[in-house]
Amino acid sequence: MLATLTIPLVWVCVRARIHPTSTWTLVLVASIAASVIGIFAPSFLYLVVAIDLALVLASLIDAALILAMTHRGIEVHRELPATVSLGVPLESSLTIRNESGLDLVGDIRDDLPESFRADPEEHLLNLPRGGELHLRRRLTPMRRGAFTLEKVYLRFQSPWKFWTRYTTFDVAGSINVYPDMKQLADYALLARTDRLSLIGVRKTRRIGQDSDFERLRDYSRDDNYRHIDWRSTARRRKLTVRDFQSDQSQRLIFMLDCGRMMTNTREGLTLLDHSLNAMLMMAYVALSKGDSVGFLCFSDRVHSFITPKGGPAQMNRLLRAGFNEFPRMVESRYDQAFVYLSNHCRKRSLVVMATNLIDEVNSQSVMGYLGNMAGQHLPLAVLLRDRQMFDAAESPAASAALHDDNVPPNHDFYRAAAAADILLWRDQVIRDLNVRGVLTIDAFPDELTAALVNEYLRIKAKHLL
């Protein structure tokens, strides 16, 4: 009889997404125990039937109460910033208002995008009727890109603790995670204090000197005292320094390869991530020197193009154009990228293309297209090294420690010979690029930023553009 009465109740609970709690289970076990006693003591049969009916009636009433709590009586709102930097924690808050007529006891969990960390992951919920609750959590993004938060998940218990109900609320939200731009602030500080050597930026002797006066501005702590304009200081009664302008009206265009060549990882970041960070740093330096900077991102098609412009607002455009680009397992179409560039950029520019050379097919494409534009533009090929390949070629014994002991000893020397052969081929490709008038940077991914900035400063100093 208990099973007959319970089956319809279970069917309703499954459809309504409510589930029995441990309290319901304990009461059910007690009813079964009473039924077993009734087998040996028939005089208790009526008591067992009464217990079963009371259990079913209480379960039905408790289920009806929790089913009466609908979305119309519960309001959930989320607040979070629209943009954040990679690896920088942000605050996210939830506001829950209870107008359902019953107390809410349970827990609540907000949506969590992939590659995010949350502290805490869920909150305990104890909200009386008519009350309002504010909950906060700290999110840490571990990957750049555009992410969406769609739902809030709520689990609460019925008034008599027989049932637990799971429900979701559609609370749409979005957040854009940009690369960590702390390196830009570090560069600006070190540049003003003349300590750029701490991040690997070398001083380059310029041909001539940029001594054209640009403007007067207020003195700051890190300014060189030799640039103080004493006449203006006496007139304004405030320390005033002179700013000098550098060569302007030069154009830079970054070409970022998002194809299969850039999928390798180093220190948790793909080659594309390292290239993007280095290019953003170089763009910041170029914009601070008055140059115009553009951006073209491509793989098997052109994903985005930013026309070269100057000014502080251009940095934001570059960030928005590249923060949601990731390497794809497709073959890069260099022909489409260079044709698109030739149609949209006809003035002479420094074209910086970041890619990786793996085989002769893509190397011939890179060499051909960059070499053909050497007359109109100044091409700069940024080639990323594979540190494991260099380690294998330089120290076979160290490479052997990374492999299984079951591998024959001669296997490591074969690997070293193969790695050395690939590096010789790579060196020859770089030489061929230089012969065709293409500047090259051959650097490890984690050392690319300083190398790229140094090359840009060298080009500026020698007026190659």
Side-chain angles (χ1 to χ4, degrees), residues 59-349:
S59 300
L60 286 173
I61 296 175
D62 204 28
L65 291 175
I66 197 172
L67 288 174
M69 303 173 66
T70 63
H71 288 189
R72 289 176 295 180
I74 304 174
E75 297 180 4
V76 181
H77 301 280
R78 180 195 301 115
E79 293 182 3
L80 77 165
T83 60
V84 68
S85 295
L86 179 65
V88 178
L90 66 138
E91 295 290 337
S92 173
S93 63
L94 283 178
T95 302
I96 305 98
R97 187 176 295 105
N98 181 17
E99 301 293 344
S100 62
L102 296 174
D103 297 341
L104 288 179
V105 179
D107 47 38
I108 186 170
R109 180 189 289 263
D110 197 359
D111 206 355
L112 184 65
E114 186 180 359
S115 71
F116 271 63
R117 296 177 184 173
D119 183 28
E121 294 186 355
E122 63 181 31
H123 302 271
L124 295 178
L125 186 63
N126 189 358
L127 185 60
R129 67 193 73 177
E132 185 174 303
L133 184 62
H134 299 277
L135 303 173
R136 294 183 179 274
R137 65 171 179 170
R138 180 175 293 241
L139 296 177
T140 305
M142 307 306 296
R143 182 186 178 190
R144 59 179 176 81
F147 300 91
T148 59
L149 288 77
E150 299 178 353
K151 298 182 180 297
V152 173
Y153 306 91
L154 184 63
R155 179 177 64 184
F156 53 92
Q157 295 179 348
S158 59
W160 293 348
K161 313 301 181 187
F162 281 102
W163 305 99
T164 297
R165 185 176 184 181
Y166 296 84
T167 185
T168 60
F169 295 85
D170 294 327
V171 184
S174 62
I175 182 170
N176 295 333
V177 181
Y178 292 95
D180 187 9
M181 292 294 100
K182 183 178 180 296
Q183 59 176 351
L184 304 185
D186 294 341
Y187 176 88
L189 177 61
L190 294 176
R192 296 175 62 181
T193 56
D194 198 19
R195 293 182 296 167
L196 289 176
S197 59
L198 297 178
I199 58 175
V201 177
R202 300 188 301 268
K203 289 185 177 180
T204 305
R205 182 177 179 274
R206 301 185 61 89
I207 300 176
Q209 186 174 357
D210 299 323
S211 57
D212 293 338
F213 174 78
E214 182 179 7
R215 61 169 180 154
L216 293 172
R217 61 174 176 83
D218 293 339
Y219 174 85
S220 60
R221 178 186 298 179
D222 301 323
D223 285 329
N224 193 328
Y225 69 92
R226 290 177 295 182
H227 294 165
I228 296 178
D229 189 313
W230 295 108
R231 291 185 179 180
S232 300
T233 298
R235 184 173 60 255
R236 300 177 64 222
R237 297 184 180 181
K238 181 188 296 185
L239 283 175
T240 306
V241 296
R242 295 187 296 268
D243 266 356
F244 301 95
Q245 64 182 358
S246 58
D247 296 334
Q248 298 184 5
S249 301
Q250 296 182 347
R251 297 158 62 91
L252 286 78
I253 297 180
F254 295 114
M255 297 184 66
L256 194 58
D257 184 0
C258 297
R260 64 181 181 90
M261 303 298 177
M262 307 293 282
T263 56
N264 292 346
T265 59
R266 178 66 183 171
E267 297 181 352
L269 299 176
T270 63
L271 297 184
L272 179 63
D273 292 326
H274 286 287
S275 301
L276 181 62
N277 291 337
M279 285 187 171
L280 290 175
M281 183 66 178
M282 182 177 173
Y284 178 80
V285 176
L287 290 172
S288 65
K289 292 184 175 297
D291 290 339
S292 300
V293 181
F295 179 78
L296 189 148
C297 184
F298 70 97
S299 59
D300 57 339
R301 58 182 178 84
V302 176
H303 300 288
S304 59
F305 176 74
I306 302 297
T307 304
K309 292 182 180 179
Q314 184 70 356
M315 195 67 202
N316 293 330
R317 299 188 190 100
L318 297 175
L319 283 171
R320 288 195 295 268
F323 84 97
N324 201 29
E325 297 292 342
F326 300 97
R328 301 164 174 82
M329 292 300 296
V330 295
E331 194 69 33
S332 297
R333 293 291 304 272
Y334 298 100
D335 54 345
Q336 293 185 5
F338 281 93
V339 169
Y340 191 94
L341 179 64
S342 64
N343 292 333
H344 292 79
C345 182
R346 300 186 181 276
K347 294 182 179 180
R348 180 172 173 80
S349 307

